[in-house]
Amino acid sequence: MEKYQIVIKGIVRFEDRYLIVQRWYDDRIEDPYQWEFIDGRIDFGEAPDRAVVRLIREQTGLETLIDRIAYTWSYMVGDVHHIGISYECMALSDDVVLSEELHDHRFITKEEFENYITNRKMLDDIERAFDI
């Protein structure tokens, strides 16, 4: 039986800066806090566009509008194929209220992505999507 999981990423922009959040993963790894964009899973029966707006609101308190699909990606974990859709979204304000699962946040320029995000595959996707 084929198993799929759809993952959504929200790349939130306010004016000329992008929101990154710091999430705790595991004390057993070298860098337990990692910078990334908002992400999460789609609820069963939920449209991807609605999911990204919901996830951003739940994790940051921000209201957003979708600008475009920035890029897609996929990876395997065991026998589950994860398929990802990254949306670039415009925030209506920069008044962030983080959910308990997030540790910190910053608004940075796209040229600063490499200073924070350590996942090389994600950086390659971002560079293609944003012509960096």
Side-chain angles (χ1 to χ4, degrees), residues 23-54:
R23 186 182 310 266
W24 177 84
Y25 280 93
D26 192 325
D27 282 335
R28 297 172 289 182
I29 62 176
E30 184 176 330
D31 187 12
Y33 290 98
Q34 295 181 19
W35 291 100
E36 59 187 36
F37 300 111
I38 299 300
D39 65 6
R41 295 182 177 164
I42 294 176
D43 291 336
F44 182 78
E46 185 177 31
D49 290 4
R50 289 185 188 266
V52 71
V53 171
R54 173 186 57 79

Side-chain angles (χ1 to χ4, degrees), residues 72-88:
T72 62
W73 79 98
S74 69
Y75 61 94
M76 296 289 295
V77 176
D79 64 347
V80 178
H81 185 189
H82 295 261
I83 300 166
I85 306 169
S86 297
Y87 289 87
E88 184 176 1

